């Protein structure tokens, strides 16, 4: 589905991502782990086209998207929920969902499907997004991304600063969504346990270089902890 091949990216002349090669297969959850500043967000920004790929290539469903703008990548089916869960703070929950659904044939149905995945949002439809809690905002951000009917959902630390019960709910939703087929998730996550429970594959990033990688699942935890300790 998504393939990064020898990708180099960064800010201006500063290269942050060095020669990263990784794959997100169809119908799978892939977790990227690494310490603060390892380059996880930078890698996602390159994948969605918000930062240029200076060398290497990115393909999506067999199409070379390396030079595509972010909006063209969205049209191809890549949705991105940035770290810090941005929605429009002055708009209500319902309006935040509606602006994404506008112009889509199945708009109303897509909003209903998203709300079914995050039922907690149903009681918050008239509340301004800026007044939601961190966990509620994260759920709204994922719900908005899903309205674009993505084939690949990219989430940057969806559990950052969120209480365990909401983390568990988001985790269940991710597993549930990918289990239905037709959607893959690329997840940046610092909670190793959470990431591995949901992930089929993991990659560890060290200072912009790819460290170890392997299959997910709880049994990989010791391996990942050792890789992160380096
Ligand atoms: N806009 C920017 N301009 C220049 N350097 C940046 C910029 N944003 C990030 N960096 C640098 O790039 C490196 C990687 O940052 P990045 O945000 O990708 O890390 P991260 O792995 O996502 O960290 P965290 O876990 O804290 O979110 C860091 O050294 C950071 O200082
Ligand atoms: Mg980050």
């Amino acid at each position: 589905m998504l393939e990064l091949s020898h990708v180099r990216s960064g800010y201006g002349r500063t290269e942050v991502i060095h020669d990263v090669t990784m794959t997100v297969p169809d119908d799978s959850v892939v977790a990227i782990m690494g310490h603060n500043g390892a380059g996880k967000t930078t890698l996602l920004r390159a994948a969605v086209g918000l930062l240029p790929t200076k060398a290497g290539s990115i393909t999506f469903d067999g199409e070379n998207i390396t030079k595509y703008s972010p909006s063209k990548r969205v049209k191809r089916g890549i949705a991105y929920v940035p770290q810090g869960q941005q929605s429009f703070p002055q708009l209500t929950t319902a309006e935040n969902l509606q602006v994404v659904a506008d112009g889509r044939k199945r708009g109303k149905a897509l909003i209903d499907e998203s709300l079914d995945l995050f039922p907690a949002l149903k009681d918050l439809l008239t509340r301004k997004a800026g007044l939601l809690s961190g966990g509620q905002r994260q759920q709204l951000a994922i719900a908005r991304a899903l309205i674009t009917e993505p084939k690949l959902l990219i989430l940057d630390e969806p559990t950052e600063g969120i209480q365990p019960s909401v983390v568990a709910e988001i985790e269940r939703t991710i597993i549930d969504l990918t289990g239905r087929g037709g959607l893959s998730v690329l997840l940046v996550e610092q909670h190793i346990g959470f990431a591995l429970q949901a992930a089929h594959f993991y990659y560890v990033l060290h200072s912009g270089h790819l460290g170890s990688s392997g299959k997910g699942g709880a049994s990989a935890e010791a391996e990942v902890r050792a890789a992160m300790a380096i």
Side-chain angles (χ1 to χ4, degrees), residues 11 16 34-43 83 156-157 190:
Y11 305 91
V16 172
H35 295 297
N36 292 125
K40 305 178 298 294
T41 297
T42 305
L43 181 62
Q83 195 166 3
D156 195 350
E157 301 207 29
Q190 298 219 30

Side-chain angles (χ1 to χ4, degrees), residues 88-93 96 124-132:
F88 296 107
Q90 294 303 328
L91 298 185
T92 64
T93 297
N96 265 288
L124 302 166
L125 287 172
T126 57
R127 189 167 305 173
K128 286 207 164 71
L131 300 177
L132 299 180

Side-chain angles (χ1 to χ4, degrees), residues 106-118 122 147:
R106 296 188 58 244
K108 172 80 174 70
L110 288 164
I111 289 178
D112 290 344
E113 285 166 28
S114 277
L115 288 173
D116 284 341
L117 283 168
F118 296 106
K122 289 182 184 173
I147 291 175

Side-chain angles (χ1 to χ4, degrees), residues 12-13 19 37 60 77 85 100 113-114 159 203 227-228:
R13 285 203 194 153
D19 197 28
F60 185 63
Q85 331 117 22
V100 188
E113 285 166 28
S114 277
T159 66
Y203 292 88
M228 301 248 321

Side-chain angles (χ1 to χ4, degrees), residues 131-214:
L131 300 177
L132 299 180
S133 73
Q136 292 165 342
R137 263 205 311 276
Q138 186 64 56
Q139 294 180 66
L140 175 58
I142 299 175
R144 295 179 81 225
L146 290 172
I147 291 175
T148 67
E149 296 185 278
K151 293 186 224 165
L152 174 65
L153 178 63
I154 299 185
L155 304 174
D156 195 350
E157 301 207 29
T159 66
E160 198 179 27
I162 291 177
Q163 73 187 57
S165 66
V166 181
V167 169
E169 200 172 327
I170 291 174
E171 179 175 45
R172 264 198 306 280
T173 308
I174 290 171
I175 294 170
D176 181 30
L177 278 170
T178 49
R180 296 179 194 178
L183 179 75
S184 290
V185 174
L186 176 59
L187 177 73
V188 159
E189 189 50 69
Q190 298 219 30
H191 295 95
I192 298 174
F194 165 82
L196 289 175
Q197 210 160 320
H200 299 94
F201 302 97
Y202 75 85
Y203 292 88
V204 177
L205 208 54
H206 283 289
S207 312
H209 295 274
L210 217 49
S212 61
S213 60

